[in-house]
Amino acid sequence: MKTAVTDRTLSYMKFDTEHTTPEALNAYTKAVLACGADYIELTSDAASAMGLEDFSEKYILRIKNAFDCGFCTANRFAYALVRFSAAGLIDRLPEDQPVILEINADEYSAQAMILYLHRFTFIRRISAVRLTGLFGDDIADLVKWCRTNLFLPVDICPLNTMMTGSSDALAAQAAGANMITLSFGRGYYYTSLEQYIISLHITQRSSLKNEVIKAICIASFVFTDIFGVIPAGLARMIETDGEITAAVYDTETGVMYRPYRSSARPAPGPQESMLDRKIKSIGLEHEIETAIIDMLKKVNFSFYKEITKRNIID
């Protein structure tokens, strides 16, 4: 049984709808689907900005309020996704609209939450259950337990706050989860879709097809254009030169800002330190340069560091 993959990036990352064209959004979703995703999760704002006529095959609408319910009535989606805390909105959706119920859970609370579901009448409207959280080493047992006690397809959305998202996603896939939900370009909180795809091929000892590699590249470029930040996977490959501000994570938008400065790859062999280059820029004779560098290193390293920050002219 194939494990379906959902990309949820467009359902929580904000972008400027006035300056983002439908062509860019559709290019992004097309590239992510070509990477290996089966579904794209959207907000009603993102869906409106895309300007598509048919969302029924590959798109999941994230329901947040009554307006979203109305949008789902006017446009049929492959699934409507509703959080457990907003389950009262399910009755406002069309009867024939498949629904995914999202539960925030982990390896300790997931089973209790699933058993708790059977107390509610809205469970008859549920087509699948998504579990979002940290699942630990027992994810295979959890998927097996869900098959026995849930009687509904299970969607695993592993968080990456402990840097275990990819391994949890691979474990869920290996255990036969019906679906896993990831996020292209994200390295924190949600799990990277592209990292999962690459890791899956490594564990299966198979090569990425050229069209998949091309799709990851295209998705990365369009992602940067839409959201104004670099995909996490691409940011790790960028060479930096000198001190740089640490990445800043915005908890409200889910965006991690990564200031960067590209640089050429250094030549092989011993490299000069910043201080060496600064002292030599003064134009002293070689013996004097060496003596000054040795003296500064031995006498006062803090002064040595201050020298590197000054632009010596005289």
Side-chain angles (χ1 to χ4, degrees):
M1 180 186 68
K2 181 184 183 298
T3 298
V5 177
T6 296
D7 173 57
R8 67 179 301 161
T9 308
L10 286 173
S11 71
Y12 77 97
M13 284 191 67
K14 295 181 180 179
F15 60 91
D16 189 340
T17 55
E18 293 184 1
H19 296 89
T20 303
T21 65
E23 290 77 17
L25 292 170
N26 287 295
Y28 170 76
T29 58
K30 182 179 179 180
V32 170
L33 291 170
C35 288
D38 299 280
Y39 297 100
I40 303 292
E41 186 177 317
L42 306 166
T43 61
S44 55
D45 288 341
S48 297
M50 291 180 68
L52 296 179
E53 295 182 358
D54 184 11
F55 295 93
S56 62
E57 294 294 327
K58 298 290 185 179
Y59 295 93
I60 299 172
L61 181 67
R62 187 172 188 84
I63 303 295
K64 296 181 179 181
N65 47 48
F67 174 83
D68 295 336
C69 293
F71 192 89
C72 193
T73 300
N75 301 272
R76 181 176 174 81
F77 289 81
Y79 292 98
L81 183 125
V82 181
R83 291 175 292 116
F84 180 76
S85 59
L89 294 172
I90 294 176
D91 289 335
R92 300 193 180 193
L93 296 172
E95 282 285 342
D96 61 346
Q97 174 62 66
V99 176
I100 298 175
L101 183 70
E102 182 178 57
I103 299 174
N104 289 326
D106 55 30
E107 59 180 317
Y108 304 107
S109 62
Q111 296 175 351
M113 290 296 296
I114 288 173
L115 292 175
Y116 184 58
L117 282 181
H118 294 284
R119 300 179 55 183
F120 298 92
T121 57
F122 64 72
I123 194 171
R124 65 179 179 82
R125 296 286 311 276
I126 304 303
S127 301
V129 172
R130 174 186 293 176
L131 300 175
T132 302
L134 297 168
F135 300 103
D137 298 329
D138 298 326
I139 192 167
D141 292 336
L142 175 61
V143 172
K144 182 179 179 181
W145 185 90
C146 288
R147 286 181 173 179
T148 304
N149 297 276
L150 182 58
F151 306 110
L152 287 170
V154 61
D155 175 9
I156 301 294
C157 178
L159 300 183
N160 199 39
T161 52
M162 299 297 291
M163 302 297 126
T164 58
S166 289
S167 59
D168 285 351
L170 290 171
Q173 185 272 338
N178 303 93
M179 185 184 295
I180 56 175
T181 296
L182 310 168
S183 182
F184 188 93
R186 312 315 302 138
Y188 184 76
Y189 200 73
Y190 294 119
T191 300
S192 167
L193 176 101
E194 65 271 32
Q195 183 175 343
Y196 164 78
I197 293 170
I198 294 171
S199 300
L200 182 62
H201 281 80
I202 291 174
T203 57
Q204 293 180 346
R205 298 182 181 275
S206 60
S207 300
L208 278 170
K209 296 180 179 179
N210 290 337
E211 51 264 35
V212 175
I213 297 174
K214 180 180 178 180
I216 292 176
C217 293
I218 293 174
S220 297
F221 297 145
V222 185
F223 178 98
T224 303
D225 183 47
I226 293 173
F227 300 109
V229 292
I230 303 170
L234 184 61
R236 295 190 191 100
M237 295 187 291
I238 295 176
E239 297 288 339
T240 59
D241 181 21
E243 295 182 2
I244 187 168
T245 305
V248 177
Y249 182 73
D250 188 331
T251 56
E252 293 185 359
T253 63
V255 175
M256 182 175 286
Y257 296 94
R258 296 174 179 270
Y260 72 96
R261 182 168 57 253
S262 61
S263 65
R265 189 176 296 276
Q271 300 297 312
E272 289 184 328
S273 69
M274 188 181 296
L275 177 69
D276 295 338
R277 295 195 297 270
K278 187 67 69 174
I279 295 296
K280 290 180 180 180
S281 69
I282 301 175
L284 302 174
E285 295 182 0
H286 177 70
E287 290 78 10
I288 299 176
E289 290 174 351
T290 303
I292 292 175
I293 291 171
D294 291 341
M295 178 191 67
L296 291 175
K297 289 181 178 179
K298 291 178 182 179
V299 176
N300 191 331
F301 187 71
S302 62
F303 177 72
Y304 167 66
K305 290 177 66 177
E306 286 298 316
I307 280 286
T308 66
K309 297 179 182 180
R310 290 156 47 189
N311 185 15
I312 301 175
I313 299 176
D314 297 329

